[in-house]
Amino acid sequence: MTRVGVRQQSETCIVRAHGGGGELMNKLISEHIISAFGNTTLNQLTDGAVLPAETSRVVITTDSYVVDPLQFPGGDIGRLAVCGTVNDLAVMGARPLGLSLGLIVEEGFELARLDQILSSVAKAAHEADVRIVTGDTKVIEHSGGSGIFINTSGVGSLDDRINIGLDRVEVGDAILVNGTIGDHGMAVMSVRSGLEFDTDIRSDAAPLNGLIHELIDAGVDIHFMRDATRGGLAAVLVDICEQSGLGVEVDESELPRDPIVRAAAEVLGFDLLTVANEGKVVAVVPQDQADMCLGLMTRHTRGRDGAIIGRIVACDLPLVELVTESGGRRVVQRPYGEELPRIC
Amino acid sequence: MTRVGVRQQSETCIVRAHGGGGELMNKLISEHIISAFGNTTLNQLTDGAVLPAETSRVVITTDSYVVDPLQFPGGDIGRLAVCGTVNDLAVMGARPLGLSLGLIVEEGFELARLDQILSSVAKAAHEADVRIVTGDTKVIEHSGGSGIFINTSGVGSLDDRINIGLDRVEVGDAILVNGTIGDHGMAVMSVRSGLEFDTDIRSDAAPLNGLIHELIDAGVDIHFMRDATRGGLAAVLVDICEQSGLGVEVDESELPRDPIVRAAAEVLGFDLLTVANEGKVVAVVPQDQADMCLGLMTRHTRGRDGAIIGRIVACDLPLVELVTESGGRRVVQRPYGEELPRIC
């Protein structure tokens, strides 16, 4: 393509030079990125962002997002990227200081679509009350893939008083989740399968830092927390067992599940326990604080359908057992991992 | 493919389930990632890493690496990913607290190749005296691309006494660079073009935090620093001009350039000023500290070929002017950006 051709194309699409570190990359940054979520720190465009932090401990976390399709009911890759990283900080008990945004975009990707995604990043960041403070953009050849990958990394400050960890999990502790499970995974899979469900099932992608810090600030002594993303609730519960050496008992009848999501999972052959969420936290709290914690949760926008779903139990083998609705018991295993590719 | 087929293939290649958040991802993490550069923080496999930080300012930085080919004389994508992010922290004056590593790998990518890259990550991290403290792995479909993208983000602590910024650049300041320019870009391009040069030209990819903190600790009052990566020396110098409103004068005769790299650039039609480096820092220091700074630089492994290449000048228009070897003058512009795709 001639230079003139590239210049024209570059008005509507991502071209190679958008990732070249030159004039056109600067234009992309100022006209699309800064205009979407610029702030005094990001706008300096230095090699990194300086953040004031009155803390003795910082938390760093990272996630890359490769979700396919890029857009689905309830969100898109931009919303996912912000919420996922904010939530990873939040479940560590940290308050976000800032996020980084790394874009890998295919040549030919429409700038209008990029703008939609960036506006979604901005909206989710506003919702989570966090800023994108630094970033990076790379361009790769068109390969017929979904067109964009996003990495978000986050830094948070961790209050000295916070002590959350699997070593604090005790027999008798209650296990809570803040709402219906499997919504994100089933929203993406319904779109991908072209199912009729797709308009009724919405991803739960949401920032949980507001809810989590409300619990912490109210004095809930959370022993352990994790967001149930890839691998679903099952992966988190198996991790709790394996790393604490204790057992987990889950009451199927207490599991918050949306009936349409449940129907979709049945049609498509998924076990909702293993399906990804993007706005669900599993919290292990002392038994005598369980009701107080549930009360706080269900009064919060992000926890209305919250429930106490089970408990930590003493056992010979550290297993997750599901007490089924019919009163039977089955062992819940970590999923193998191939069922839900590119779900986030 | 049957489940048995996947299990067999998963012993030698990346399969979908390696990114699924389940059993096979855990196996990948423990047998390949932890074994390459595990440490007490990373091994906890929590949603993020907690880092002690006796500081009031933290620095966050991010970079994604899409270099093609993955391996080139002097380095590979793993070495690049560690050095690039360490250097971004270092030029901000920050000391690294920890790095995150986000992998996006194509299905079918050989585990043996992944291990090579991870071992290169480990080696570079050791060289830079920094730890990989958290990470993420995603798997995408095979698309005939180079097979792996890496994001590294970094967090550093910034001493209260450090004050580096374009607002500190003054007329009369000296501009130094720590060695030959354009080596990284020409190493990658020589391999890509199948040129004979490829064995003689080595990427300069290297961590610069050792050198930079030696300068700072010795009392050099560095006004501004930046590593000259994509866009090369030209992009850094143009940034200095545009953002300080001052002029830059560069002496072509003082530019450290390797003769073979120079010849390769001529054959392939590149201007070395715009070619990427991965181990070069441009430092702006007070005139009266220039010689002292150069002395420290040239005594350090990473600065043996360092030179004072120019100065900040008063001017009507903030331009970068190159005083050529023949005594002429030409304006140096920011490159457009399309000449060197996927160079890092």
Side-chain angles (χ1 to χ4, degrees):
Chain A
M1 192 177 300
T2 64
R3 173 61 68 93
V4 172
V6 169
R7 280 201 192 263
Q8 282 167 347
Q9 199 197 15
S10 74
E11 299 295 317
T12 55
C13 286
I14 289 291
V15 299
R16 198 185 262 192
H18 277 125
E23 188 191 316
L24 203 56
M25 195 167 92
N26 277 25
K27 197 170 138 80
L28 176 74
I29 291 170
S30 62
E31 292 177 13
H32 297 269
I33 293 175
I34 297 288
S35 70
F37 43 76
N39 55 64
T40 50
T41 312
L42 180 65
N43 299 0
Q44 293 176 29
L45 300 178
T46 43
D47 292 278
V50 180
L51 306 169
E54 292 307 326
T55 180
S56 60
R57 291 186 297 173
V58 295
V59 174
I60 171 171
T61 182
T62 193
D63 259 313
S64 298
Y65 294 86
V66 301
V67 67
D68 182 24
L70 296 175
Q71 205 160 9
F72 41 82
D76 65 5
I77 190 171
R79 179 170 179 83
L80 215 54
V82 171
C83 296
T85 293
V86 164
N87 293 348
D88 279 346
L89 289 177
V91 297
M92 301 285 293
R95 285 172 204 272
L97 292 167
L99 299 192
S100 67
L101 187 83
L103 304 174
I104 300 177
V105 196
E106 284 190 5
E107 264 187 293
F109 195 75
E110 282 176 36
L111 277 170
R113 269 186 99 189
L114 181 64
D115 284 337
Q116 270 178 8
I117 291 167
L118 294 174
S119 125
S120 181
V121 164
K123 199 163 156 273
H126 180 77
E127 207 176 312
D129 194 21
V130 64
R131 293 180 312 155
I132 310 295
V133 293
T134 192
D136 174 60
T137 305
K138 293 289 177 345
V139 176
I140 55 172
E141 295 83 3
H142 179 68
S143 75
S146 51
I148 187 169
F149 306 128
I150 300 183
N151 177 283
T152 41
S153 298
V155 182
S157 63
L158 190 59
D159 194 293
D160 279 337
R161 291 162 300 183
I162 289 175
N163 182 11
I164 296 168
L166 282 164
D167 54 319
R168 295 201 61 217
V169 171
E170 286 171 25
V171 170
D173 282 355
I175 304 172
L176 287 87
V177 70
N178 62 313
T180 52
I181 61 167
D183 300 1
H184 173 72
M186 292 319 303
V188 175
M189 291 312 284
S190 298
V191 177
R192 249 194 253 164
S193 328
L195 283 195
E196 289 293 322
F197 302 112
D198 64 3
T199 50
D200 298 316
I201 302 181
R202 294 175 66 79
S203 164
D204 60 341
L208 296 175
N209 53 332
L211 167 66
I212 286 171
H213 288 293
E214 201 166 301
L215 300 180
I216 292 172
D217 294 345
V220 181
D221 180 26
I222 301 168
H223 285 171
F224 179 72
M225 267 188 292
R226 183 163 290 171
D227 52 335
T229 55
R230 276 182 294 177
L233 184 62
V236 177
L237 297 177
V238 171
D239 271 350
I240 293 175
C241 280
E242 285 183 356
Q243 290 181 45
S244 70
L246 300 171
V248 161
E249 209 172 69
V250 178
D251 303 316
E252 192 177 26
S253 59
E254 299 300 326
L255 284 179
R257 284 170 295 179
D258 178 280
I260 302 172
V261 172
R262 235 176 128 164
E266 262 164 45
V267 170
L268 295 170
F270 290 108
D271 174 359
L272 275 191
L273 281 172
T274 66
V275 175
N277 310 274
E278 289 292 341
K280 293 293 140 46
V281 56
V282 180
V284 180
V285 306
Q287 196 171 14
D288 59 3
Q289 290 195 324
D291 289 331
M292 187 258 273
C293 184
L294 181 65
L296 289 163
M297 216 178 229
T298 51
R299 279 193 294 277
H300 194 280
T301 331
R302 298 286 170 222
R304 284 210 189 104
D305 299 318
I308 300 171
I309 59 166
R311 64 210 66 84
I312 305 293
V313 295
C315 64
D316 296 334
L317 281 173
L319 290 176
V320 180
E321 281 202 305
L322 184 76
V323 182
T324 64
E325 278 165 327
S326 52
R329 299 177 84 89
R330 78 165 167 95
V331 172
V332 176
Q333 286 180 282
R334 191 194 304 284
Y336 186 68
E338 71 180 21
E339 299 83 0
L340 290 162
R342 299 188 62 173
I343 205 72
C344 62
Chain B
M1 189 175 307
T2 62
R3 174 60 69 92
V4 172
V6 169
R7 282 201 191 261
Q8 282 167 347
Q9 198 195 17
S10 74
E11 299 295 317
T12 55
C13 287
I14 289 291
V15 298
R16 198 185 262 193
H18 277 125
E23 187 191 318
L24 202 57
M25 195 166 92
N26 277 25
K27 195 169 140 82
L28 175 74
I29 292 170
S30 63
E31 292 178 14
H32 299 269
I33 293 175
I34 297 287
S35 70
F37 43 76
N39 55 64
T40 50
T41 311
L42 181 65
N43 299 1
Q44 294 176 29
L45 300 179
T46 42
D47 292 277
V50 179
L51 306 169
E54 291 306 326
T55 181
S56 59
R57 292 186 295 174
V58 295
V59 174
I60 171 171
T61 183
T62 193
D63 260 313
S64 297
Y65 294 85
V66 300
V67 67
D68 181 25
L70 297 174
Q71 205 159 10
F72 42 81
D76 66 5
I77 191 170
R79 179 169 179 83
L80 216 53
V82 171
C83 296
T85 292
V86 164
N87 292 348
D88 279 346
L89 289 177
V91 296
M92 302 284 293
R95 284 173 205 273
L97 292 167
L99 299 191
S100 67
L101 187 82
L103 304 174
I104 299 177
V105 195
E106 284 190 5
E107 264 187 293
F109 195 75
E110 281 175 39
L111 278 169
R113 270 186 98 189
L114 182 65
D115 283 337
Q116 269 178 10
I117 291 168
L118 295 175
S119 126
S120 182
V121 164
K123 200 164 156 272
H126 180 77
E127 208 176 312
D129 195 20
V130 64
R131 293 180 312 155
I132 310 294
V133 293
T134 192
D136 174 59
T137 305
K138 293 288 181 339
V139 176
I140 56 172
E141 295 83 1
H142 179 68
S143 74
S146 52
I148 186 169
F149 306 128
I150 300 184
N151 176 283
T152 41
S153 298
V155 182
S157 63
L158 190 58
D159 195 292
D160 279 336
R161 292 162 301 184
I162 289 175
N163 182 10
I164 295 168
L166 282 165
D167 54 319
R168 294 201 61 215
V169 171
E170 286 171 24
V171 170
D173 282 355
I175 304 171
L176 287 87
V177 69
N178 62 313
T180 53
I181 60 166
D183 301 1
H184 172 72
M186 292 319 303
V188 175
M189 291 313 284
S190 298
V191 178
R192 249 194 255 167
S193 327
L195 284 194
E196 289 293 320
F197 302 113
D198 65 3
T199 50
D200 298 315
I201 302 181
R202 294 176 65 79
S203 165
D204 60 341
L208 296 175
N209 53 332
L211 167 65
I212 286 171
H213 288 293
E214 200 165 303
L215 300 181
I216 292 173
D217 294 344
V220 181
D221 180 26
I222 300 167
H223 285 171
F224 179 72
M225 267 189 292
R226 183 164 290 172
D227 52 336
T229 55
R230 275 183 294 177
L233 185 62
V236 177
L237 297 177
V238 172
D239 271 349
I240 293 175
C241 279
E242 285 183 356
Q243 291 182 44
S244 71
L246 300 171
V248 162
E249 210 171 69
V250 178
D251 303 316
E252 191 177 26
S253 59
E254 300 300 327
L255 285 179
R257 285 168 294 179
D258 178 280
I260 302 173
V261 171
R262 234 175 130 165
E266 261 164 47
V267 170
L268 295 171
F270 290 109
D271 174 359
L272 274 191
L273 281 172
T274 66
V275 175
N277 310 275
E278 290 292 342
K280 293 293 141 46
V281 57
V282 180
V284 181
V285 307
Q287 197 170 13
D288 59 5
Q289 290 195 324
D291 289 332
M292 186 261 272
C293 183
L294 182 64
L296 290 163
M297 216 178 230
T298 52
R299 279 194 294 278
H300 194 280
T301 332
R302 299 286 169 218
R304 284 210 190 103
D305 299 318
I308 300 171
I309 60 165
R311 63 211 66 84
I312 306 293
V313 295
C315 65
D316 296 333
L317 281 172
L319 291 175
V320 179
E321 281 202 306
L322 185 76
V323 182
T324 64
E325 277 164 330
S326 52
R329 297 178 85 89
R330 78 164 166 96
V331 172
V332 176
Q333 285 178 285
R334 190 194 304 283
Y336 186 67
E338 71 181 19
E339 298 83 359
L340 290 162
R342 299 189 59 173
I343 205 71
C344 62

